[in-house]
Amino acid sequence: MNVSASLTPFNSPAPASTPMILDTLPDPAIAGQGCPSRTRLQIDLILLAIEALELGGSEAILAFAEELDLKEIIKNRVNLWRMRSSNPMRRANIRRPLTIIEAKALVVIACYIARRLTVVIRQMLMIYQQMNEKQIPLEQNLRLSNYLERFRAHFKSRMNARRSGVLALTSDEKLDELAINLLEKLLFCTGTAGMQRFWISLFDGEVE
């Protein structure tokens, strides 16, 4: 997919031109160019869910960055890691801002991947609901069990256990709840204007 880019300069560490696909997401009314900590956390978690949902999730993120002409923003694996490490709950947290344009690029990519996985996400949520209603252990469904197991492993290996937000998620049950909640958010992203609505939700309570 080829997406043309506008020639309007953008005052950030990102490229001098802003890809037009990012113009579909409104600029939030927040002070400065950096994203609030809650926004950085939620974006990283949604990408973590994608990685747990699909083997090779990181490679998919980079592949979509190239396909959507966002390669100048998300240049490579190291660049992607630095953006995601702006999440304050990360074990290897980097004290750098996540710019609005970087956040937009990550959200656009996450939503495009979610659309590709819509059927899988919908099926897994249906299976979860059915098993939960019948009080059947979730590990009895291989696909759902694998997703939850990978999510827990990713979360525990990458998040700082000493952070208060992480301390509240020490049990497997709490992490499973978070993983399912993120699946619901991914499905939400695939709906009508889902990308725009998800983007706006990331700044709830943060706008001036």
Side-chain angles (χ1 to χ4, degrees), residues 13-89:
S17 58
T18 305
M20 287 179 64
I21 193 170
L22 303 186
D23 291 338
T24 61
L25 300 179
D27 290 329
I30 57 174
Q33 295 295 324
C35 292
S37 58
R38 176 183 169 277
T39 305
R40 288 178 269 140
L41 167 63
Q42 291 300 318
I43 291 175
D44 189 31
L45 287 178
I46 207 76
L47 295 174
L48 200 70
I50 287 173
E51 290 176 324
L53 193 60
E54 183 176 52
L55 294 176
S58 294
E59 288 74 17
I61 293 169
L62 294 172
F64 268 91
E66 186 165 2
E67 182 177 344
L68 298 170
D69 281 353
L70 298 173
K71 195 69 174 175
E72 287 302 309
I73 300 173
I74 305 173
K75 299 177 179 64
N76 50 47
R77 186 181 297 276
V78 173
N79 183 236
L80 174 62
W81 176 81
R82 285 175 177 163
M83 289 182 195
R84 297 184 62 183
S85 293
S86 67
N87 169 10
M89 283 175 60

Side-chain angles (χ1 to χ4, degrees), residues 17 24 46 48-50 53 66-67 73 76 88-89 91 106 117 129 135 148 151 157 163 167 169-170 178-179 192 203:
S17 58
T24 61
I46 207 76
L48 200 70
I50 287 173
L53 193 60
E66 186 165 2
E67 182 177 344
I73 300 173
N76 50 47
M89 283 175 60
R91 188 184 298 271
L106 292 174
L117 297 173
Q129 183 178 7
Q135 297 185 329
L148 295 174
F151 181 83
S157 67
R163 298 282 184 181
L167 285 172
L169 296 166
T170 52
L178 176 60
T192 303
F203 297 91

Side-chain angles (χ1 to χ4, degrees), residues 89-91 155-170:
M89 283 175 60
R90 278 258 176 177
R91 188 184 298 271
F155 187 93
K156 291 176 181 178
S157 67
R158 300 180 194 182
M159 302 302 164
N160 187 342
R162 290 175 294 181
R163 298 282 184 181
S164 59
V166 179
L167 285 172
L169 296 166
T170 52

Side-chain angles (χ1 to χ4, degrees), residues 118-132 144 147 179-188:
T118 299
V119 174
V120 173
I121 296 169
R122 194 181 300 277
Q123 288 176 344
M124 288 180 65
L125 285 172
M126 288 179 61
I127 290 168
Y128 168 77
Q129 183 178 7
Q130 291 169 358
M131 296 183 74
N132 195 43
L144 186 57
Y147 164 69
I180 295 299
N181 178 261
L182 290 168
L183 273 186
E184 292 171 346
K185 287 184 178 180
L186 284 171
L187 186 62
F188 175 78

